[in-house]
Amino acid sequence: MAAEGGGKEMNEIKTQFTTREGVYKLLTHSEYSRPNRVPFNSQGSNPVKVSFVNVNDQSGNGDRICFNVGRELYFYIYKGVRKAADLSKPIDKRIYKGTQPTCHDFNPITATAESVSLLVGFSAGQVQLIDPIKKETSKLFNEERLIDKSRVTCVRWVPGSESLFLVAHSSGSMYLYNVENTCGTTAPHYQLLKQGENYAVHTCKSKSARNPLLRWTVGEGALNEFAFSPDGKFLACASQDGFLRVFGFDAAELHGTMKSYFGGLLCVCWSPDGRYIVAGGEDDLVTVWSFSDCKVIARGHGHKSWVSVVAFDHCTTSVEDGDPPAEFSGSDEEFHEQIHFGAGRERANSAHSRLSKRNSTDSRPVSVTYRFGSVGQDTQLCLWDLTEDILFPHLPLSRTRTHTNVMSATSPPATGQTTTATTTATTTTTTTTTVSATNPVSATNPSGTNGKDNASNSSSSGNPANSLPSTLPRSNSLPHSSNPTGGSTPDSQTGSNTSTTATATTTTTTTTTTKGNSIIDSAFIATGVSKFATLSLHDSRKERHEKDHKRNHSMGHISSKSSDKLNQLSSTRTAKAEAAKTLGTTMCPRMEDLPLLEPLVCKKIAHERLTVLIFLEDCLVTACQEGFVCTWARPGKGGLLSSQNNAANSPSGTVV
């Protein structure tokens, strides 16, 4: 097993990692790949993708797995953490000539032990419907490539439908198909149905029913991925032009948009309750977007290259009492000003009315934790926690909330060496204390976790756990500057020369948040607090300088430095100007205007770029471009073969 820390192990592949739930362990016997286990030469091939379906058979072994490697497509019984994988007996194996499978999706509604419906998209634009159990190829769509000649980037069954499916192409178009209809022998003729900002929906003009039923044209460039909301009513699209667009699917109406920090968006996913969307892409960031408020609420930085997959962990995500989130605590008039769309207003108002019934001085706040993960081309897996401190920045919490905050938000110095940030925070509590803490920042934490990881997760990595107050929440990135128990402020970061001096003065009073504050003031306060709490924005100045240099070439902070660069890059001036228009707006806030999440876990787990992350009930599944599909047992679920019974009874966090 690879150790959890140490400079020499920076490039070692990790086989386990620790979170607050316990230890996740790689099950080497549950690795799925090509039957010969030979690493696939991935140069020039399409990403390895994985699809799961449960066929509900009586044996309890109902999970089936499908994955593509190069020109090959495999279909196995998936035994997960229960038994070792038997690669010698794939249920179905197909090798394609002249084209490669790029993506696939099972229909969970029609799946039985005798038959499953599997859609497979291809690099030349075709879509095949196959049944890998019966081994019958039933239909081929866009066979003559009359509908679209470009690569299929994403294919999904429409939720709740046995016959409708949606296909996205690198041309930027999406097509709605019905498995019962033919595609015709001539190119389809279209009639405009609905048009909006940077999108259009056309119907297919035909005397008889034929595919496609609809054509969506979304944004500019490739449409890299789309995802249906859990209720199937909304569709989130991640495009190469850097925009996330969320549509009402049936009405084909645009609900909201978000712009990446720079570059294209490559992946998108919904929270299990449909209230938040996370997107990742070429800016190396994960971005959290609120569905009801139609705005970015946080970004996460941990990857060193493009983020290829984001996914929520429905098993670790918890919402206490099922209360809907409300991201503003104030008067109804102020709350309405934040909502821009009808559907969002209805949902948010009901949330606000329920939350407002709570006593503002209640010692137990709404407890919400969303866990999501991401994998990238840097071969790293990151896990993130999104907690109520980020989701409800204006709600009074049991832990002391800062109301006034003076933050020095100056630009990094030219030398890029050492900086001191001084923060004065006045907080509201029932005691009088003065705390002054100065922490030199540790530069010995190459494993990707910071000091807060080591304490809150009780992990045994190389860093000593700072004496954290027990009232700190479980997330790594929370906008709290107060430190009521007098513990030292956790600000351990990798390779940083920054030192922070914080002075928190608390006074005896019983007042709560003043509702008369304007939205702008409240946003400024919350921003300042989150900056101080995460300390992520006071990164190593040298790293920040290098990031500025890289990002200014793409879009970057539109400052005097980047303006010079934009003038130099005359060939792409138009694109840069468009990007500059969105930076600093609610569609694409500046980095300093948002909480910056830090990963709970950030581990190198493969030699090749990662292309799959799927959370299952007792494990999580990753896959890399070499064609290896890996299973990571959740804490207490790591029993294989003879250890199976013991594992079932193990408490969470125990390694079996």
Side-chain angles (χ1 to χ4, degrees), residues 439-459:
N439 277 2
V441 176
S442 168
T444 58
N445 195 355
S447 65
T449 57
N450 65 12
K452 281 170 274 188
D453 280 339
N454 303 327
S456 62
N457 295 333
S458 303
S459 65

Side-chain angles (χ1 to χ4, degrees), residues 294-311:
C294 292
K295 69 177 185 180
V296 180
I297 59 170
R299 291 193 181 102
H301 180 54
H303 286 285
K304 300 181 179 67
S305 187
W306 295 358
V307 180
S308 50
V309 183
V310 287

Side-chain angles (χ1 to χ4, degrees), residues 110-290:
T110 60
T112 66
E114 293 77 34
S115 173
V116 294
S117 297
L118 176 66
L119 289 168
V120 184
F122 290 92
S123 56
Q126 304 94 334
V127 179
Q128 190 180 28
L129 174 63
I130 61 176
D131 187 332
I133 295 180
K134 292 183 177 178
K135 296 183 174 57
E136 295 175 356
T137 300
S138 48
K139 285 189 177 178
L140 186 61
F141 302 92
N142 193 28
E143 181 176 7
E144 303 298 326
R145 304 172 68 209
L146 297 171
I147 297 172
D148 200 307
K149 292 181 169 60
S150 64
R151 178 173 55 92
V152 176
T153 56
C154 186
V155 60
R156 293 274 188 273
W157 290 96
V158 174
S161 174
E162 296 184 6
S163 57
L164 298 177
F165 62 92
L166 194 61
V167 182
H169 289 258
S170 59
S171 63
S173 295
M174 283 189 301
Y175 302 90
L176 180 66
Y177 287 83
N178 188 325
V179 294
E180 308 297 334
N181 296 352
T182 63
C183 289
T185 56
T186 59
H189 295 280
Y190 296 104
Q191 182 174 355
L192 183 65
L193 176 68
K194 179 160 277 188
Q195 194 166 13
E197 186 178 353
N198 285 320
Y199 83 97
V201 183
H202 293 80
T203 57
C204 184
K205 289 174 62 178
S206 176
K207 293 181 180 179
S208 58
R210 65 160 288 180
N211 284 320
L213 304 179
L214 294 176
R215 180 185 73 176
W216 294 61
T217 307
V218 181
E220 298 177 8
L223 203 165
N224 290 320
E225 189 177 32
F226 64 83
F228 284 99
S229 61
D231 61 8
K233 295 179 180 178
F234 292 89
L235 183 70
C237 301
S239 297
Q240 189 60 38
D241 61 7
F243 280 90
L244 166 74
R245 296 176 178 89
V246 181
F247 297 95
F249 182 60
D250 291 336
E253 291 182 347
L254 185 63
H255 171 77
T257 58
M258 182 271 284
K259 175 71 172 63
S260 68
Y261 195 66
F262 69 85
L265 285 179
L266 304 177
C267 51
V268 62
C269 67
W270 291 78
S271 64
D273 55 11
R275 291 170 184 144
Y276 300 96
I277 295 174
V278 171
E282 296 175 357
D283 53 9
D284 304 354
L285 303 169
V286 292
T287 304
V288 185
W289 190 80
S290 167

